[in-house]
Amino acid sequence: MSNQKHKSGLHPRNKHKGQYDFNELLKHNPKLQAFIIKNKQGQQSIDFFDPIAVKMLNKTLLSYYYAIQNWDIPDHYLCPPIPGRADYIHHIADLLAKENGGIIPKGKKIRVLDIGVGANCIYPIIGVKEYAWSFVGVDINKASLQNAHAIVLNNKTLRSNIELRWQEHSEHIFKGIITAKDNFTLSICNPPFHASAEEAKMEALRKLKNLGKKNVIEPTLNFGGQQHELWCKGGELQFLKHMITQSKSVASSVRWFTTLVSKEAHLKPTYKLLKKVGVAYTNTISMGQGNKKSRLLVWSFIPQTMD
């Protein structure tokens, strides 16, 4: 697909930076045909407001690009946009390369803690397939872990690289998960964005109205999502504050802490807290696709010479 127009802002190694060649995808999964439409530009696409269509596209992309079979998630669980998830993995690979002579380290020796692995298990899948890293995926929702476990069992290439752990206490992020024997290269996280179900609904309505769908009263979340995936008490900022504060207690067990930050306004208070807890290194990596901007917050309690 290298001859296709590139999607703005995606990482150079991202397999999804070209426009999708639906003719090729259909050869891989004919079932996708039922969900293909023509967009306003007359190009083949899918209806990204249809959660079933989004899930079918994800199944196809994971099969086509990463040789993942039998991937599925329960109804109404988060069905993530894969290009953005792949970007996270590639950016943290660059982070590790900076302290490794410019060479991306590969193999199981790179251990990654995925906080909130979800039913979809996307980050570990991409990390294993692209760099052969090993992952420990953590979640507070047993149903999510059961589904992620099924995905791992159904794909031999994942079985020896992905371990799943249940976080029994929702107020804890690292405690009860990281053992005395654990030593992680880095942790990753995609925090809940919203402070409540109502806030998530209002944000969905706002996006729909911006796209010309003004008569929608009850929006369908096209990428789905359960409470623990989309909202938590205090929203994203409170979650980030908890993570930063609690990261100090496992400073010797995790070399790099990383997390997505969806709202730029949250950077200033998080940097203030990072300074307060005594981190040795902080950085923000800009990420984006088209008009959607995000950022990757990085910190470490171990002195670094990265810049």
Side-chain angles (χ1 to χ4, degrees):
M1 297 189 188
S2 59
N3 62 334
Q4 301 291 326
K5 183 179 178 182
H6 284 187
K7 295 174 185 172
S8 173
L10 288 180
H11 192 283
R13 289 194 304 277
N14 196 322
K15 286 183 168 70
H16 312 283
K17 64 181 181 293
Q19 298 292 336
Y20 295 131
D21 186 337
F22 280 95
N23 292 328
E24 286 298 317
L25 292 178
L26 284 172
K27 291 177 184 177
H28 216 68
N29 181 14
K31 292 181 180 179
L32 183 63
Q33 179 67 66
F35 301 94
I36 293 178
I37 62 172
K38 287 287 183 71
N39 62 21
K40 291 180 179 180
Q41 290 74 38
Q43 299 168 328
Q44 286 185 318
S45 183
I46 68 162
D47 182 359
F48 284 97
F49 294 100
D50 179 355
I52 300 175
V54 172
K55 182 157 72 169
M56 183 59 70
L57 177 63
N58 273 12
K59 288 169 72 78
T60 308
L61 295 178
L62 287 169
S63 176
Y64 184 86
Y65 288 105
Y66 304 103
I68 296 297
Q69 304 304 316
N70 302 310
W71 181 89
D72 202 358
I73 56 173
D75 290 343
H76 309 302
Y77 274 66
L78 186 64
C79 189
I82 293 175
R85 299 304 194 258
D87 248 32
Y88 193 150
I89 295 297
H90 292 304
H91 278 291
I92 60 174
D94 289 345
L95 174 72
L96 298 182
K98 285 184 178 180
E99 59 176 2
N100 192 46
I103 299 170
I104 296 172
K106 298 182 179 181
K108 290 185 179 181
K109 64 183 181 294
I110 303 300
R111 295 191 74 214
V112 184
L113 178 66
D114 183 4
I115 301 164
V117 64
N120 54 73
C121 203
I122 289 294
Y123 286 126
I125 288 172
I126 298 173
V128 170
K129 288 295 184 173
E130 293 286 45
Y131 302 113
W133 296 341
S134 63
F135 283 77
V136 172
V138 178
D139 210 287
I140 62 173
N141 184 277
K142 283 188 174 181
S144 291
L145 289 175
Q146 288 170 355
N147 196 80
H149 183 62
I151 293 170
V152 172
L153 286 181
N154 281 326
N155 292 273
K156 289 183 179 180
T157 55
L158 303 180
R159 290 177 195 169
S160 63
N161 287 66
I162 300 175
E163 177 189 346
L164 299 168
R165 299 179 186 177
W166 177 49
Q167 174 55 274
E168 184 177 359
H169 302 286
S170 60
E171 69 273 18
H172 295 157
I173 295 176
F174 303 104
K175 186 179 179 180
I177 291 298
I178 296 181
T179 69
K181 296 181 180 179
D182 280 324
N183 189 15
F184 291 99
T185 311
L186 51 84
S187 67
I188 62 176
C189 184
N190 186 8
F193 290 161
H194 307 292
S196 66
E198 184 64 23
E199 184 180 304
K201 175 183 172 182
M202 295 307 294
E203 177 65 13
L205 281 171
R206 184 189 66 79
K207 290 180 179 179
L208 288 168
K209 288 180 180 179
N210 287 344
L211 292 167
K213 297 180 180 289
K214 298 181 179 180
N215 296 322
V216 179
I217 298 174
E218 285 293 331
T220 298
L221 296 173
N222 53 330
F223 294 105
Q226 297 292 297
Q227 175 179 348
H228 65 285
E229 296 174 315
L230 294 181
W231 62 90
C232 65
K233 186 177 180 180
E236 179 183 72
L237 182 57
Q238 192 60 46
F239 189 94
L240 293 172
K241 287 181 176 180
H242 285 318
M243 183 185 295
I244 291 168
T245 302
Q246 294 179 32
S247 68
K248 188 172 184 178
S249 66
V250 292
S252 61
S253 300
V254 182
R255 182 168 180 79
W256 293 104
F257 297 90
T258 74
T259 180
L260 283 175
V261 180
S262 67
K263 297 179 181 178
E264 187 175 10
H266 292 167
L267 287 177
K268 187 175 180 179
T270 53
Y271 263 83
K272 184 178 180 179
L273 183 57
L274 285 166
K275 184 177 181 180
K276 183 178 180 180
V277 299
V279 301
Y281 178 92
T282 58
N283 191 23
T284 303
I285 300 169
S286 296
M287 297 172 58
Q289 179 182 344
N291 294 324
K292 184 179 179 182
K293 302 298 179 185
S294 187
R295 61 263 339 137
L296 194 56
L297 181 63
V298 177
W299 71 95
S300 178
F301 291 89
I302 303 169
Q304 309 289 338
T305 55
M306 303 287 290
D307 297 324

